[in-house]
Amino acid sequence: MSSTVSIIGTSVLALLLAGYMAQKYGLPAPPPKIVGVDLGTTFSSIGVYHAVSGDTQIIADGLGKRSIPSVVGFLANGSVLIGHRAVEQQEKNPLRTIYDAKRFIGKTFSEDDPQFIADKERYPFTIKLFENGSAYFEIPLSNSIKTVTPEQVGGIIIAYLKSAVEKEKKTPISQVVISVPAEFDEVQRNATAKAASHAVMEVRRIISEPTAAALAYGLHKKKGVEYIVVVDLGGGTLDVSVLWLQGGVFVTQAMAGNNRLGGQDFNDRVQHHLTNHIEEKYGKKVDDKEDLQQLRLAVEEAKIRLTTFPKAVISLNLKDLDSFNYVLTRDEFESINAELFDQITEPIAAALEDAHIGTQDVDEIVLVGGSTRMPRVRKLVGSYFNRTPNYGIDPELAVVTGASVQAGVIGGGWPLQVAAMELPSKQRKRHIYADKHIPSGGCSI
């Protein structure tokens, strides 16, 4: 027994000495053994924790993008396109381009489920159910029909991200820390792990997205922090989590959210506004799937531009209209979506109520998700708590940054840190659904 302890002690001492020498004399960091992955509904990323420096690096793909769309496109011959390349051909190939697959991962439905019926109408690609109620996508190829599950779509995206790391670091990667929404149950977490296994990755730990975001800002090391509120507004959902932090241990105290409020819903409002405008001004109804897809992408680009600039120009070439130009201002965007912006604070209030705390008890607020870039969202959250929330880290990269930190700690990088622990939450998410009726005259895809 004593000899075993001696061997372990020697190994730890060697690791400490190696890390110290590397840091002191600028020796190259050892290659990463484990990565952090954020498999998001709309965007996904991968990162590594650098031993020696203690920094995290979010790895870009071959196009130089650190955040890639969670989109997989299939060509008629079966070839696969991923990320931005998939988006580029999306408007011309809507039946074979899959997005939002995470909405279906680990879930079961019935054919008469109103949400499943709405999803079938919303997406241009074909969604069907296996006998057990789990969803799959049907892809028409030249000579056959291809069946793809949400887990397989996730695996394709993770494999793509993995290859970017292996190319950048010139070393094979086989282990991962992967993030999931805090509300994911055991079935959904296992389904996410299965997605990683499709990419030949061993999942070392599954971490909730709010905890990962808190880790990204180093809140587990900040003195005096007890209650943290994470507001995650992504492409598909709004999630609010109240975390209680004690001694480096995160406990989810409450969760609330709106699974029908996300960046795409803001886009849908603008899209319906534009289709109504076209019909009223030109007498043309926009119902061609390729035109609708082109319009959807143009609205997304305009929304992103409006986070920085006061106006954005939407220019399209539609089949029945030829050229169409429209100047969308930030004020008009906020007016069109006023009802949705008003709904953002409802889950925050619900989560605080369930955690039995008030705004004055909250020590830190963290904004996560690409949609929190919208100035109106930051202003709303800041006004609600009467303080400025944390958003210094790119909101699309905060979760993957935290997952990468956890990966580096598990991998034993230097400087050595104590891994922040996360206790499994037994809290149930409170769902806030509001009537998001969109005026008639438009056509959702």
Side-chain angles (χ1 to χ4, degrees), residues 6 22 26 42 64 92 111 118 128 133 235-236 245 255 319 362-363 375:
S6 178
T42 49
K92 300 293 184 182
E111 291 288 355
K128 293 189 175 182
L245 176 61
M255 295 178 285
K319 289 182 178 179
V362 176
D363 300 298

Side-chain angles (χ1 to χ4, degrees), residues 161-442:
L161 295 170
K162 171 187 174 183
S163 67
V165 175
E166 292 179 334
K167 183 176 180 180
E168 167 82 14
K169 300 303 178 183
K170 297 179 174 56
T171 186
I173 299 291
S174 61
Q175 298 180 336
V176 63
V177 169
I178 192 166
S179 61
V180 296
E183 67 175 287
F184 264 26
D185 58 23
E186 200 63 29
V187 174
Q188 291 169 296
R189 288 170 182 255
N190 289 339
T192 304
K194 186 175 181 181
S197 71
H198 282 301
V200 196
M201 297 281 276
E202 175 194 355
V203 176
R204 290 291 302 275
R205 183 170 297 180
I206 293 178
I207 183 174
S208 74
E209 291 168 359
T211 297
L215 288 174
Y217 282 96
L219 299 185
H220 59 301
K221 298 183 291 184
K222 190 172 181 180
K223 291 184 178 180
V225 175
E226 185 174 0
Y227 284 106
I228 303 166
V229 170
V230 180
V231 179
D232 186 346
L233 183 59
T237 63
L238 167 63
D239 291 303
V240 178
S241 301
V242 177
L243 305 180
W244 182 58
L245 176 61
Q246 282 292 317
V249 178
F250 287 93
V251 181
T252 301
Q253 294 287 86
M255 295 178 285
N258 190 336
N259 285 358
R260 301 171 190 172
L261 178 59
Q264 187 57 47
D265 298 292
F266 291 89
N267 291 4
D268 286 347
R269 291 287 177 115
V270 176
Q271 180 176 320
H272 281 269
H273 172 77
L274 292 176
T275 54
N276 285 339
H277 171 78
I278 291 170
E279 188 170 358
E280 291 172 3
K281 185 173 182 178
Y282 302 101
K284 303 278 187 178
K285 189 175 180 67
V286 183
D287 52 14
D288 179 82
K289 282 195 172 184
E290 289 188 9
D291 282 349
L292 287 168
Q293 186 74 345
Q294 185 185 168
L295 180 58
R296 187 182 76 85
L297 296 175
V299 168
E300 172 68 14
E301 291 176 4
K303 180 183 69 177
I304 293 172
R305 181 170 177 80
L306 290 176
T307 63
T308 306
F309 301 99
K311 65 181 180 179
V313 178
I314 296 174
S315 298
L316 302 170
N317 288 305
L318 304 176
K319 289 182 178 179
D320 296 329
L321 193 63
D322 294 327
S323 62
F324 168 71
N325 296 286
Y326 190 92
V327 178
L328 180 68
T329 66
R330 183 187 294 171
D331 287 343
E332 185 179 22
F333 177 89
E334 293 180 354
S335 176
I336 292 169
N337 287 296
E339 183 184 358
L340 299 185
F341 283 117
D342 288 343
Q343 295 172 21
I344 288 174
T345 56
E346 294 176 25
I348 298 175
L352 293 177
E353 180 183 349
D354 290 350
H356 306 293
I357 62 172
T359 56
Q360 72 280 359
D361 300 309
V362 176
D363 300 298
E364 296 285 347
I365 307 106
V366 176
L367 296 185
V368 182
S371 295
T372 61
R373 287 198 185 99
M374 290 188 280
R376 181 65 176 165
V377 173
R378 293 180 176 180
K379 184 178 180 181
L380 279 169
V381 176
S383 297
Y384 189 86
F385 287 98
N386 197 29
R387 77 193 71 173
T388 303
N390 289 287
Y391 55 80
I393 296 174
D394 185 331
E396 283 183 0
L397 302 179
V399 170
V400 71
T401 299
S404 302
V405 168
Q406 191 74 316
V409 173
I410 293 172
W414 174 270
L416 292 181
Q417 301 182 49
V418 176
M421 299 300 294
E422 181 180 30
L423 294 183
S425 175
K426 296 182 180 180
Q427 301 296 324
R428 295 182 65 85
K429 177 181 174 182
R430 196 206 293 199
H431 292 275
I432 309 294
Y433 293 133
D435 179 14
K436 297 193 303 179
H437 173 68
I438 298 176
S440 60

